[in-house]
Amino acid sequence: MRFLLVAVGLASLARSQLLGIPTVPFTITSDKTYDLRNLHTIIVDLSHSSTRDQDGLTLIPPSLWEFAETFQGDLAGIGVNAVVLPGIKAVSNAIYLTLDNDKSQFVNAAGNKTSEGYRLSVTSSGITISGASPLGAWWGTRTVLQQALINDKKLKIGTGIDSPGWSERGMMQNVLHLHLSDHVWDPAKLGSHQLALELYAGFRIASTDPAVAGLARPTNETYSPSVFDNLQQKCASRGVTILPEFESPGHSMATTDWRPEIALSDFSMLNLSHPETLPTVKSYWKAAINNFHSKIVHIGADEYDSNFINEYSTFVNDMSEYIQSISGKSTRIWGTFPPSHAPGSINVNKDVTVQHWQIGQDNGLFDFIDNGYTIVNSDDYFYLDLKYSDGNQYPKELDIQRVFHGSPDGSAFAPNILDAANATNNPPRDSPNVLGHLAVVWNDWGPNASTYHEAYYMVRNGLPALADKQWGGSLQEQDYAGLFATLQPAVPDQNLDQRIPSKGPTILSYAFGSNIVSSLTATVRDGSGNGYHGSLENGAYVSGGALQLNGRSAHLKTPLTSKGRNYTLSFSVLPKSHGGALFSGPDSSFLNGNGTSTNLMLVADNIAYPVNLTLALNKWSDVKVEAIGPQTFISVGTQRQEVTILMGIWGGYMEEGPMAIEAPLAAIGQGINGQMKNIKLSSDVL
Ligand SMILES: *[C@@H]1O[C@H](CO)[C@@H](O)[C@H](O)[C@H]1NC(C)=O
Ligand SMILES: *[C@@H]1O[C@H](CO)[C@@H](O)[C@H](O)[C@H]1NC(C)=O
Ligand SMILES: *[C@@H]1O[C@H](CO)[C@@H](O)[C@H](O)[C@H]1NC(C)=O
Ligand SMILES: *[C@@H]1O[C@H](CO)[C@@H](O)[C@H](O)[C@H]1NC(C)=O
Ligand SMILES: *[C@@H]1O[C@H](CO)[C@@H](O)[C@H](O)[C@H]1NC(C)=O
Ligand SMILES: *[C@@H]1O[C@H](CO)[C@@H](O)[C@H](O)[C@H]1NC(C)=O
Ligand SMILES: *[C@@H]1O[C@H](CO)[C@@H](O)[C@H](O)[C@H]1NC(C)=O
Ligand SMILES: *[C@@H]1O[C@H](CO)[C@@H](O)[C@H](O)[C@H]1NC(C)=O
């Protein structure tokens, strides 16, 4: 509602843009609209249907035709069904996808040409999107989808040219930078090989190359080459390039665990004077590089020992030349040691791009840009460290205030803002040496501190606002909440919120009365009205108004998987012994003890989060799991406890954090020896 009022208010003032995320420069030429309900075809310009953008970061760019097919699926997702056909011109009730011959009209903030721009033209009979490239046309399709959602499928009539100001806009828009090797940090342990081995370390890309056998670890937490390929293909199909990083010569414990002889006395760092170090790092890049489909790769080069700056620069230059020679790719590093003009200094080559992250490490403008380097802005102004806040610099969620007021003069943030407080440290908006901005989420507290979905919630509410600024849009703070509420639930091809369609607040209800159980079909009816009927599996049956379970594989199978925050999952249970999964699903499970402990525990990503509550045997208990925002609570009768985790903060101290865990819903009662009844899932809390 709020959004509609705002839109009406603005329509009379500014007709030169479409509200959206990002905003789109657009001149409205008529009070009429084009109604997408009349659409029947997406026509792909025959002369460009197999053209691919060559200028972006990806080596696997989709063709115009392939983008059209993905767009067709997204339109169907909002109830607009159209066929994709080749053609040579716009026709009535079609969206015509073509490429524009005049590339000079698509320019970025520096005034340079960009292949990511597009021209959108809406008439009373249809729509034409002409891209600077197929990728540009793809961004135009995003605008059509957004405007359809905002204006009840009716698009305003007029024309606009829209181009991103910067070429790298992450994490959500067009670059997903994945940091694929690192370890938990504890300075007290890094000086000793024995103690360092206790720290969790990961190297995420598996390989069949014998030269790197044993490096990828933990083996159950790595991407196989085919899975990683698939991930990159899926991202590319939506205009997103994965930019992979293996970190060295600091943050390198996954490597030093594997090759201890090349460590410095600080076990997290490689000894760059050791003759085996460079060949070792080259060996793992060689093993992976053909499976990386970006034109740039990231070699880390962050937080190294400042006694060895020349060795560091030589290493970066050697690696950059090596990567170029075996793959043609270029190299990126984190901003670490500013170049020095002192005699005898060796500096990083200028074809290596620098990801600026903290003014204390480097002054992106004076140290790098003024010395001829090209940078990406990842200033820690937009750093997040899962669930941790120092109360000041690092907030717990991506801060929307910083998006709309993150420039020294209080105006909106932009990719050229390297210092939110001091304008002297910022290059001009049209500096061609700023490639863009990438926001960052770290997980410094190790795998037990969080779940995959919690990482999503850190950026869920704020990232779209930041995306407008990364593009160069002019979204106003007062318009954001309304646009977000309209657009976020409809983001295509994902359900990260783990929503379950439901007629009312009760999503699922299994009461086990005789009238709703069919022994013939072994079905338990869902009383919610949603039709999520369960099926009795492996000897599970209903008797005396309760589900009877055998402590082995008997269970009630549901058609659901998981439910994200918020929810209340309630039930009654009579266990004859401890053990078994009360509920289980792909993201989590809820256990009645684990064999050594009788405590109730939620398990997410294979890590158990127990509470100090135990079910009494041979009597009925009423149990509840409640997810409220970032917190989860478990109750047995009148006793209620929060599910929490002690996070080890940089090895320095422990801090208690909340755990948000999805409701596990796929199977009920597997391994439970006893009975369950009155099972209900609701979206209501408290
Ligand atoms: C375009 O970018 C290049 C660097 O890639 C720069 O030298 C040139 O000045 C830029 N052009 C404009 C118009 O800014
Ligand atoms: C690094 O390796 C070199 C060559 O093996 C060795 O001489 C040197 O002592 C090592 N440095 C450290 C700090 O371990
Ligand atoms: C702003 O930055 C400049 C250049 O780095 C520096 O000389 C100046 O002291 C800074 N001003 C403040 C108020 O910190
Ligand atoms: C069971 O849970 C307890 C408490 O969290 C834990 O200490 C123990 O290692 C777990 N045992 C197994 C077999 O997972
Ligand atoms: C991988 O295996 C280790 C050791 O068994 C286990 O602790 C960890 O939870 C597993 N990780 C995942 C994601 O399954
Ligand atoms: C767990 O609960 C029991 C019984 O209420 C209590 O005696 C014990 O101190 C609790 N343990 C912890 C670690 O809170
Ligand atoms: C969950 O409930 C909390 C507390 O009432 C509320 O702030 C939050 O917006 C809710 N989250 C969702 C996704 O509904
Ligand atoms: C979680 O892991 C950290 C190290 O990564 C450790 O310090 C902490 O004790 C662990 N917390 C629990 C509750 O096991």
Side-chain angles (χ1 to χ4, degrees):
M1 266 333 270
R2 176 154 175 257
F3 163 70
L4 287 177
L5 293 175
V6 168
V8 170
L10 273 183
S12 52
L13 301 173
R15 313 193 88 196
S16 59
Q17 69 171 18
L18 296 173
L19 271 186
I21 306 176
T23 53
V24 178
F26 194 82
T27 306
I28 298 169
T29 53
S30 155
D31 289 338
K32 301 212 179 75
T33 55
Y34 176 69
D35 192 335
L36 277 177
R37 272 169 281 244
N38 298 326
L39 189 80
H40 51 64
T41 314
I42 298 167
I43 296 178
V44 181
D45 184 345
L46 195 55
S47 55
H48 297 296
S49 65
S50 59
T51 305
R52 295 167 196 276
D53 170 48
Q54 303 299 333
D55 294 347
L57 273 187
T58 185
L59 293 167
I60 47 170
S63 65
L64 188 61
W65 181 270
E66 286 162 351
F67 275 136
E69 288 183 327
T70 307
F71 178 42
Q72 175 191 33
D74 295 343
L75 276 176
I78 62 165
V80 175
N81 293 302
V83 293
V84 183
L85 292 174
I88 52 166
K89 62 176 180 9
V91 300
S92 145
N93 292 319
I95 296 176
Y96 183 49
L97 296 181
T98 181
L99 302 188
D100 212 294
N101 290 327
D102 178 9
K103 310 288 187 221
S104 67
Q105 59 192 323
F106 306 111
V107 292
N108 65 18
N112 268 320
K113 280 185 209 165
T114 167
S115 66
E116 295 189 83
Y118 64 94
R119 170 191 282 273
L120 173 67
S121 156
V122 182
T123 69
S124 57
S125 64
I127 298 170
T128 297
I129 300 173
S130 2
S133 75
L135 182 59
W138 166 253
W139 299 131
T141 66
R142 305 301 86 187
T143 294
V144 169
L145 278 178
Q146 286 197 20
Q147 294 305 312
L149 284 160
I150 290 167
N151 300 321
D152 186 28
K153 303 202 174 81
K154 296 189 182 78
L155 267 69
K156 299 199 167 100
I157 288 174
T159 308
I161 295 170
D162 188 21
S163 300
W166 294 267
S167 64
E168 293 195 40
R169 309 174 302 277
M171 54 190 49
M172 182 186 79
Q173 262 188 51
N174 72 343
V175 174
L176 177 61
H177 170 179
L178 288 183
H179 184 79
L180 294 166
S181 68
D182 214 323
H183 54 85
V184 169
W185 186 258
D186 184 347
K189 293 188 171 174
L190 290 173
S192 142
H193 183 192
Q194 211 49 47
L195 292 176
L197 281 177
E198 292 172 8
L199 297 174
Y200 177 91
F203 190 96
R204 301 287 191 214
I205 302 286
S207 169
T208 53
D209 183 342
V212 295
L215 171 61
R217 60 198 291 272
T219 49
N220 58 346
E221 295 177 9
T222 57
Y223 299 104
S224 69
S226 68
V227 166
F228 200 70
D229 186 65
N230 189 258
L231 199 60
Q232 291 172 96
Q233 300 283 354
K234 280 200 165 142
C235 284
S237 77
R238 293 187 165 277
V240 175
T241 304
I242 291 185
L243 199 158
E245 173 184 354
F246 292 136
E247 170 86 271
S248 64
H251 291 261
S252 287
M253 248 179 50
T255 306
T256 58
D257 283 355
W258 177 58
R259 296 274 184 264
E261 63 279 8
I262 64 171
L264 284 179
S265 54
D266 177 331
F267 217 68
S268 70
M269 297 191 192
L270 303 182
N271 176 355
L272 293 176
S273 303
H274 194 287
E276 281 308 308
T277 299
L278 189 62
T280 299
V281 177
K282 284 179 176 175
S283 72
Y284 61 67
W285 275 104
K286 184 165 196 288
I289 202 131
N290 289 334
N291 193 27
F292 290 159
H293 305 314
S294 56
K295 293 180 188 170
I296 301 180
V297 294
H298 202 308
I299 63 166
D302 185 21
E303 295 188 306
Y304 191 61
D305 187 332
S306 60
N307 291 310
F308 303 112
I309 296 180
N310 277 354
E311 290 82 350
Y312 165 97
S313 301
T314 304
F315 167 79
V316 168
N317 293 338
D318 286 348
M319 282 307 303
S320 148
E321 279 157 29
Y322 177 70
I323 284 167
Q324 181 74 39
S325 74
I326 61 168
S327 67
K329 296 181 196 297
S330 50
T331 292
R332 178 165 298 166
I333 60 172
W334 293 100
T336 302
F337 300 127
S340 164
H341 302 294
S345 297
I346 300 173
N347 291 323
V348 166
N349 291 340
K350 290 179 188 165
D351 55 2
V352 173
T353 50
V354 175
Q355 188 163 5
H356 160 81
W357 72 274
Q358 196 192 56
I359 202 96
Q361 303 284 318
D362 69 83
N363 181 305
L365 175 58
F366 300 125
D367 291 331
F368 286 109
I369 292 180
D370 284 356
N371 282 305
Y373 290 84
T374 302
I375 71 161
V376 171
N377 182 5
S378 286
D379 191 82
D380 68 351
Y381 191 58
F382 280 111
Y383 264 26
L384 297 169
D385 222 333
L386 271 172
K387 292 209 286 205
Y388 166 83
S389 172
D390 60 1
N392 170 32
Q393 191 180 2
Y394 297 160
K396 285 195 177 175
E397 286 183 18
L398 200 151
D399 187 346
I400 295 171
Q401 282 301 304
R402 292 185 184 189
V403 172
F404 289 107
H405 302 284
S407 285
D409 64 2
S411 65
F413 178 78
N416 63 304
I417 304 301
L418 306 179
D419 186 336
N422 186 342
T424 314
N425 293 322
N426 294 326
R429 189 177 167 93
D430 64 357
S431 167
N433 292 43
V434 178
L435 293 173
H437 179 257
L438 306 183
V440 177
V441 177
W442 296 108
N443 184 16
D444 281 16
W445 326 128
N448 67 5
S450 57
T451 69
Y452 304 136
H453 279 94
E454 284 181 321
Y456 158 66
Y457 278 100
M458 301 280 293
V459 299
R460 175 187 185 269
N461 298 334
L463 194 57
L466 181 59
D468 175 81
K469 305 308 166 206
Q470 292 176 331
W471 179 277
S474 51
L475 188 61
Q476 301 292 306
E477 189 174 11
Q478 70 269 20
D479 296 334
Y480 180 59
L483 282 172
F484 181 84
T486 305
L487 296 174
Q488 194 272 349
V491 173
D493 211 16
Q494 57 82 39
N495 184 12
L496 288 166
D497 281 358
Q498 310 267 40
R499 292 187 180 87
I500 300 174
S502 182
K503 292 185 169 146
T506 300
I507 298 166
L508 182 73
S509 173
Y510 295 139
F512 304 106
S514 53
N515 55 332
I516 51 170
V517 176
S518 158
S519 45
L520 210 62
T521 56
T523 302
V524 177
R525 289 189 67 81
D526 166 21
S528 73
N530 291 321
Y532 297 132
H533 310 309
S535 68
L536 295 158
E537 304 285 333
N538 303 344
Y541 64 98
V542 174
S543 158
L547 174 64
Q548 307 291 322
L549 300 154
N550 62 14
R552 297 187 303 275
S553 61
H555 65 278
L556 181 64
K557 186 174 146 202
T558 84
L560 302 176
T561 54
S562 303
K563 166 85 177 84
R565 60 181 77 168
N566 295 335
Y567 65 81
T568 302
L569 178 62
S570 57
F571 58 99
S572 302
V573 56
L574 180 154
K576 293 183 198 151
S577 58
H578 290 108
L582 295 156
F583 291 82
S584 50
D587 298 299
S588 55
S589 47
F590 184 30
L591 305 185
N592 175 26
N594 65 358
T596 54
S597 162
T598 59
N599 286 349
L600 288 173
M601 55 186 82
L602 280 163
V603 178
D605 307 338
N606 275 330
I607 294 172
Y609 300 93
V611 286
N612 187 19
L613 293 172
T614 297
L615 291 178
L617 299 183
N618 299 307
K619 58 179 273 208
W620 284 102
S621 297
D622 295 330
V623 183
K624 222 162 39 176
V625 182
E626 294 160 282
I628 307 173
Q631 294 173 289
T632 311
F633 300 87
I634 297 177
S635 311
V636 178
T638 55
Q639 288 180 292
R640 183 175 190 250
Q641 285 202 2
E642 184 176 354
V643 182
T644 60
I645 183 67
L646 274 180
M647 305 185 286
I649 307 293
W650 282 309
Y653 62 96
M654 303 299 278
E655 184 175 301
E656 193 170 76
M659 287 304 305
I661 298 181
E662 280 68 34
L665 299 171
I668 301 174
Q670 196 150 19
I672 298 293
N673 176 18
Q675 308 178 48
M676 291 172 76
K677 64 182 182 186
N678 300 333
I679 296 169
K680 188 173 156 187
L681 175 72
S682 160
S683 55
D684 276 346
V685 287
L686 297 175

